[in-house]
Amino acid sequence: MSIVNVANLRCEYLTNPLGIDQVQPRLSWQLVAARGERGVAQRAYQVLAASTRELLAADKGDLWDSGKVASPHSAHVEYAGRKLASRQQCWWKVRVWGG
């Protein structure tokens, strides 16, 4: 199994946006091969979204935990968690499985 890392996380094409005007923002990330591997592919992902950095660091997605989703897609993944309030801060990360 390939080890795949992620980089360049974006929300609505922006890195760390201060504000967005979408109810269900689209998330994207890039795959990075570990240990010099080539031709890596994503088999599945899991998105965690949290209301605080601390919750996210503890792998607790209080706003959204997508669970493991079998999909090669890493662009335009729609947020499908709890409704986000105006001016609400949200932190997110993604875990991927390669193959």
Side-chain angles (χ1 to χ4, degrees), residues 51-63:
S51 58
T52 68
R53 287 184 178 139
E54 294 78 19
L55 284 171
L56 189 62
D59 291 332
K60 297 187 186 306
D62 66 325
L63 297 175

Side-chain angles (χ1 to χ4, degrees), residues 9 11 37 71 73 79 85:
L9 274 66
C11 176
E37 293 183 38
S71 172
H73 299 291
Y79 173 84

Side-chain angles (χ1 to χ4, degrees), residues 4-73:
V4 182
N5 296 312
V6 294
N8 198 19
L9 274 66
R10 296 176 310 279
C11 176
E12 288 297 321
Y13 302 100
L14 302 170
T15 302
N16 297 323
L18 293 177
I20 55 170
D21 60 357
Q22 299 297 318
V23 176
Q24 291 180 290
R26 293 166 295 177
L27 309 174
S28 301
W29 55 90
Q30 291 179 334
L31 303 178
V32 179
R35 300 187 200 128
E37 293 183 38
R38 302 187 86 170
V40 298
Q42 174 182 298
R43 288 186 304 111
Y45 67 83
Q46 177 186 21
V47 176
L48 292 174
S51 58
T52 68
R53 287 184 178 139
E54 294 78 19
L55 284 171
L56 189 62
D59 291 332
K60 297 187 186 306
D62 66 325
L63 297 175
W64 184 34
D65 180 349
S66 70
K68 187 175 181 178
V69 177
S71 172
H73 299 291

Side-chain angles (χ1 to χ4, degrees), residues 63-90:
L63 297 175
W64 184 34
D65 180 349
S66 70
K68 187 175 181 178
V69 177
S71 172
H73 299 291
S74 61
H76 311 295
V77 174
E78 272 194 10
Y79 173 84
R82 286 191 8 211
K83 185 176 178 181
L84 300 172
S86 179
R87 301 181 190 263
Q88 178 177 4
Q89 292 185 321
C90 178

